[in-house]
Amino acid sequence: MGSPGFDRAAIRVVFLDVDDTLLDFDACAEQAMEQARGELGVGPIDFPAFLRINLALWKQLERGELTKQQLFHERWSRVFEALGVEGDGPLFEAHFRRALTQAAVPMPGAAALTAYLAGRYTLCAASNAPHMQQVRRLAQAGLLQDLKRVFTSESCGAPKPSAAFFDACFTALAPLRPEQTVMIGDSATADVAGAAAYGMHTIWFDRCRAGGTAGAEHAVQSLEEILSLL
């Protein structure tokens, strides 16, 4: 199984993205948004609009156009402005992020996948989200026990897809070569392009069933499909 150059017998470490790969970010974020609304008495918010604005901001972060602190400071202010909702954006962000830390909805097949991979490889999470937020959410979802390390942009000092992010990962896991690793994630830019540029093998989780490969060696539309690749 696998394409030329993708020899699973040579793989030592598997990296997994967290949001929209292991954890259902949309479900978690909607829960957190509704909790923050209730706590602050904010009116109805169009959740798909939040998702669009949030995705655009994270793409800016990946391109180095803003910092994570700027993203967190501006995110809900932009949502409120776009929707004409009355509210204090930074205050809502604080309540939202606190609620998000408690939200942990696994993606279908996530537990079976991490259990399978942890029995065969060193399994690590790789995420751009806040470190302790991800650690707590993975623990609540019952997935942390299968992970050897949780790497985040906060702990690495740089975000995916930068080479500096992967430099930090490989330093922590030395001696390790990029060709001995696989990166699995839903982002064509942060996960696939970043890892491929570093020399790692890649699997794109096409959770939206868009089709194509996004430049990855393999594309899957369910986490279960990964079991036959690794």
Side-chain angles (χ1 to χ4, degrees), residues 19-21 23-33 47-48 50-52 54-55 96 100 103 105 107 137 186 207-208:
D19 284 309
D20 287 331
T21 301
L23 299 179
D24 187 333
F25 176 77
D26 292 5
C28 294
E30 190 164 19
Q31 285 182 9
M33 182 188 77
F47 185 65
F50 161 75
L51 291 178
R52 290 193 299 273
N54 182 63
L55 178 61
F96 172 77
L100 187 59
V105 181
M107 293 291 286
R137 294 172 68 223
D186 70 296
R207 65 184 184 88
C208 296

Short mmCIF file of all heavy atoms in Angstrom, two decimals, residues 19-21 23-33 47-48 50-52 54-55 96 100 103 105 107 137 186 207-208:
data_model
loop_
_atom_site.label_atom_id
_atom_site.label_comp_id
_atom_site.label_asym_id
_atom_site.label_seq_id
_atom_site.Cartn_x
_atom_site.Cartn_y
_atom_site.Cartn_z
N ASP A 19 -7.25 20.16 15.20
CA ASP A 19 -8.57 20.66 14.84
C ASP A 19 -8.94 20.29 13.41
O ASP A 19 -8.18 20.53 12.47
CB ASP A 19 -8.65 22.17 15.04
CG ASP A 19 -8.77 22.53 16.51
OD1 ASP A 19 -9.65 21.96 17.18
OD2 ASP A 19 -7.99 23.37 16.99
N ASP A 20 -10.11 19.69 13.27
CA ASP A 20 -10.66 19.21 12.01
C ASP A 20 -9.92 18.00 11.47
O ASP A 20 -10.09 17.61 10.31
CB ASP A 20 -10.73 20.31 10.95
CG ASP A 20 -11.85 21.30 11.27
OD1 ASP A 20 -12.85 20.89 11.89
OD2 ASP A 20 -11.72 22.49 10.92
N THR A 21 -9.07 17.39 12.31
CA THR A 21 -8.45 16.11 11.99
C THR A 21 -8.76 15.12 13.12
O THR A 21 -9.45 14.13 12.91
CB THR A 21 -6.94 16.23 11.76
OG1 THR A 21 -6.70 17.15 10.68
CG2 THR A 21 -6.33 14.88 11.41
N LEU A 23 -10.02 16.37 16.29
CA LEU A 23 -11.18 16.94 16.97
C LEU A 23 -12.03 17.73 15.98
O LEU A 23 -11.51 18.38 15.08
CB LEU A 23 -10.74 17.86 18.12
CG LEU A 23 -9.92 17.22 19.24
CD1 LEU A 23 -9.54 18.27 20.29
CD2 LEU A 23 -10.68 16.06 19.88
N ASP A 24 -13.34 17.66 16.18
CA ASP A 24 -14.29 18.37 15.32
C ASP A 24 -14.36 19.83 15.76
O ASP A 24 -15.10 20.18 16.67
CB ASP A 24 -15.67 17.70 15.42
CG ASP A 24 -16.67 18.27 14.42
OD1 ASP A 24 -16.52 19.44 14.02
OD2 ASP A 24 -17.62 17.55 14.07
N PHE A 25 -13.56 20.68 15.10
CA PHE A 25 -13.49 22.08 15.52
C PHE A 25 -14.84 22.77 15.40
O PHE A 25 -15.23 23.55 16.27
CB PHE A 25 -12.46 22.85 14.70
CG PHE A 25 -12.43 24.33 15.04
CD1 PHE A 25 -11.81 24.77 16.19
CD2 PHE A 25 -13.07 25.26 14.22
CE1 PHE A 25 -11.81 26.12 16.52
CE2 PHE A 25 -13.09 26.60 14.54
CZ PHE A 25 -12.45 27.04 15.70
N ASP A 26 -15.57 22.51 14.32
CA ASP A 26 -16.85 23.19 14.13
C ASP A 26 -17.80 22.90 15.29
O ASP A 26 -18.42 23.83 15.83
CB ASP A 26 -17.50 22.74 12.82
CG ASP A 26 -16.73 23.23 11.59
OD1 ASP A 26 -15.65 23.83 11.76
OD2 ASP A 26 -17.20 23.00 10.47
N ALA A 27 -17.91 21.64 15.67
CA ALA A 27 -18.80 21.28 16.78
C ALA A 27 -18.32 21.89 18.08
O ALA A 27 -19.12 22.41 18.87
CB ALA A 27 -18.89 19.76 16.91
N CYS A 28 -17.02 21.85 18.32
CA CYS A 28 -16.47 22.42 19.55
C CYS A 28 -16.66 23.93 19.60
O CYS A 28 -17.03 24.50 20.64
CB CYS A 28 -14.98 22.08 19.66
SG CYS A 28 -14.61 20.33 19.86
N ALA A 29 -16.39 24.59 18.47
CA ALA A 29 -16.50 26.05 18.43
C ALA A 29 -17.95 26.51 18.59
O ALA A 29 -18.21 27.53 19.25
CB ALA A 29 -15.93 26.58 17.12
N GLU A 30 -18.88 25.79 18.01
CA GLU A 30 -20.28 26.18 18.15
C GLU A 30 -20.73 26.03 19.60
O GLU A 30 -21.45 26.89 20.13
CB GLU A 30 -21.17 25.36 17.23
CG GLU A 30 -22.60 25.88 17.17
CD GLU A 30 -23.39 25.35 16.00
OE1 GLU A 30 -23.00 24.32 15.41
OE2 GLU A 30 -24.41 25.98 15.65
N GLN A 31 -20.30 24.97 20.26
CA GLN A 31 -20.60 24.80 21.68
C GLN A 31 -20.04 25.98 22.49
O GLN A 31 -20.71 26.55 23.35
CB GLN A 31 -20.01 23.50 22.21
CG GLN A 31 -20.72 22.24 21.81
CD GLN A 31 -20.08 21.01 22.42
OE1 GLN A 31 -19.21 21.11 23.29
NE2 GLN A 31 -20.50 19.83 21.98
N ALA A 32 -18.78 26.31 22.22
CA ALA A 32 -18.11 27.39 22.96
C ALA A 32 -18.77 28.74 22.68
O ALA A 32 -18.93 29.57 23.59
CB ALA A 32 -16.63 27.44 22.58
N MET A 33 -19.16 28.98 21.44
CA MET A 33 -19.82 30.23 21.08
C MET A 33 -21.14 30.39 21.82
O MET A 33 -21.44 31.45 22.38
CB MET A 33 -20.06 30.29 19.57
CG MET A 33 -20.72 31.58 19.09
SD MET A 33 -21.20 31.51 17.34
CE MET A 33 -22.72 30.52 17.47
N PHE A 47 -23.25 31.24 12.85
CA PHE A 47 -22.04 30.44 13.02
C PHE A 47 -21.26 30.25 11.72
O PHE A 47 -20.01 30.35 11.73
CB PHE A 47 -22.39 29.09 13.66
CG PHE A 47 -21.18 28.25 13.98
CD1 PHE A 47 -20.26 28.67 14.93
CD2 PHE A 47 -20.96 27.06 13.33
CE1 PHE A 47 -19.14 27.91 15.23
CE2 PHE A 47 -19.84 26.29 13.62
CZ PHE A 47 -18.94 26.71 14.58
N PRO A 48 -21.90 29.98 10.58
CA PRO A 48 -21.12 29.87 9.33
C PRO A 48 -20.31 31.13 9.02
O PRO A 48 -19.21 31.06 8.47
CB PRO A 48 -22.19 29.61 8.27
CG PRO A 48 -23.28 28.90 9.02
CD PRO A 48 -23.30 29.58 10.37
N PHE A 50 -18.99 33.10 11.30
CA PHE A 50 -17.81 32.99 12.16
C PHE A 50 -16.76 32.07 11.53
O PHE A 50 -15.57 32.39 11.51
CB PHE A 50 -18.18 32.45 13.55
CG PHE A 50 -16.99 31.89 14.29
CD1 PHE A 50 -16.06 32.73 14.86
CD2 PHE A 50 -16.80 30.52 14.37
CE1 PHE A 50 -14.93 32.22 15.52
CE2 PHE A 50 -15.69 29.99 15.03
CZ PHE A 50 -14.76 30.85 15.60
N LEU A 51 -17.20 30.92 11.02
CA LEU A 51 -16.26 29.98 10.43
C LEU A 51 -15.50 30.59 9.26
O LEU A 51 -14.28 30.40 9.12
CB LEU A 51 -16.99 28.71 9.97
CG LEU A 51 -17.55 27.80 11.06
CD1 LEU A 51 -18.29 26.63 10.44
CD2 LEU A 51 -16.44 27.31 11.99
N ARG A 52 -16.20 31.36 8.42
CA ARG A 52 -15.53 31.99 7.27
C ARG A 52 -14.49 33.01 7.74
O ARG A 52 -13.37 33.04 7.22
CB ARG A 52 -16.57 32.68 6.38
CG ARG A 52 -17.48 31.72 5.62
CD ARG A 52 -18.26 32.45 4.54
NE ARG A 52 -19.13 33.50 5.08
CZ ARG A 52 -20.37 33.28 5.50
NH1 ARG A 52 -20.90 32.07 5.45
NH2 ARG A 52 -21.11 34.28 5.95
N ASN A 54 -13.07 33.25 10.72
CA ASN A 54 -12.03 32.57 11.48
C ASN A 54 -11.02 31.90 10.55
O ASN A 54 -9.80 32.02 10.74
CB ASN A 54 -12.67 31.53 12.40
CG ASN A 54 -11.66 30.81 13.26
OD1 ASN A 54 -10.99 31.42 14.09
ND2 ASN A 54 -11.53 29.51 13.07
N LEU A 55 -11.50 31.23 9.51
CA LEU A 55 -10.60 30.56 8.57
C LEU A 55 -9.70 31.57 7.86
O LEU A 55 -8.50 31.34 7.70
CB LEU A 55 -11.42 29.78 7.54
CG LEU A 55 -10.61 29.06 6.45
CD1 LEU A 55 -9.67 28.04 7.06
CD2 LEU A 55 -11.55 28.40 5.45
N PHE A 96 -15.10 32.79 25.02
CA PHE A 96 -15.12 31.76 23.98
C PHE A 96 -13.95 30.80 24.15
O PHE A 96 -14.12 29.58 24.13
CB PHE A 96 -15.06 32.43 22.60
CG PHE A 96 -14.88 31.47 21.46
CD1 PHE A 96 -15.94 30.71 20.99
CD2 PHE A 96 -13.64 31.35 20.84
CE1 PHE A 96 -15.76 29.82 19.91
CE2 PHE A 96 -13.45 30.47 19.77
CZ PHE A 96 -14.53 29.71 19.31
N LEU A 100 -13.96 26.93 24.92
CA LEU A 100 -13.40 26.03 23.92
C LEU A 100 -12.45 25.01 24.56
O LEU A 100 -12.35 23.87 24.10
CB LEU A 100 -12.66 26.83 22.85
CG LEU A 100 -12.14 26.06 21.63
CD1 LEU A 100 -13.29 25.37 20.90
CD2 LEU A 100 -11.41 27.00 20.69
N ALA A 103 -14.33 22.02 25.37
CA ALA A 103 -15.06 21.37 24.29
C ALA A 103 -14.15 20.38 23.56
O ALA A 103 -13.10 20.77 23.05
CB ALA A 103 -15.59 22.42 23.30
N VAL A 105 -14.89 17.30 21.02
CA VAL A 105 -15.71 16.37 20.24
C VAL A 105 -14.79 15.68 19.23
O VAL A 105 -14.31 16.32 18.28
CB VAL A 105 -16.84 17.10 19.49
CG1 VAL A 105 -17.68 16.10 18.70
CG2 VAL A 105 -17.70 17.90 20.46
N MET A 107 -13.40 13.60 16.07
CA MET A 107 -13.85 13.29 14.73
C MET A 107 -14.16 11.79 14.66
O MET A 107 -13.54 10.99 15.37
CB MET A 107 -12.77 13.64 13.70
CG MET A 107 -12.49 15.12 13.58
SD MET A 107 -13.85 16.07 12.84
CE MET A 107 -13.68 15.59 11.11
N ARG A 137 -8.00 19.51 25.70
CA ARG A 137 -9.07 18.99 24.83
C ARG A 137 -8.77 17.56 24.38
O ARG A 137 -9.66 16.71 24.33
CB ARG A 137 -9.26 19.92 23.63
CG ARG A 137 -9.77 21.30 24.01
CD ARG A 137 -9.76 22.25 22.83
NE ARG A 137 -10.75 21.86 21.83
CZ ARG A 137 -10.52 21.86 20.52
NH1 ARG A 137 -9.34 22.21 20.04
NH2 ARG A 137 -11.48 21.51 19.68
N ASP A 186 -5.87 18.21 7.71
CA ASP A 186 -6.91 18.65 6.78
C ASP A 186 -6.52 19.90 6.00
O ASP A 186 -7.21 20.25 5.04
CB ASP A 186 -8.21 18.94 7.55
CG ASP A 186 -8.08 20.18 8.41
OD1 ASP A 186 -7.27 20.17 9.36
OD2 ASP A 186 -8.79 21.17 8.13
N ARG A 207 -11.70 16.10 4.55
CA ARG A 207 -12.92 15.92 5.34
C ARG A 207 -14.15 16.51 4.65
O ARG A 207 -15.27 16.08 4.90
CB ARG A 207 -12.75 16.54 6.73
CG ARG A 207 -12.58 18.04 6.73
CD ARG A 207 -12.33 18.59 8.12
NE ARG A 207 -12.27 20.04 8.10
CZ ARG A 207 -13.32 20.84 8.21
NH1 ARG A 207 -14.52 20.32 8.38
NH2 ARG A 207 -13.19 22.15 8.17
N CYS A 208 -13.96 17.51 3.79
CA CYS A 208 -15.09 18.12 3.08
C CYS A 208 -15.38 17.44 1.75
O CYS A 208 -16.25 17.90 1.00
CB CYS A 208 -14.82 19.61 2.87
SG CYS A 208 -14.71 20.56 4.40
#
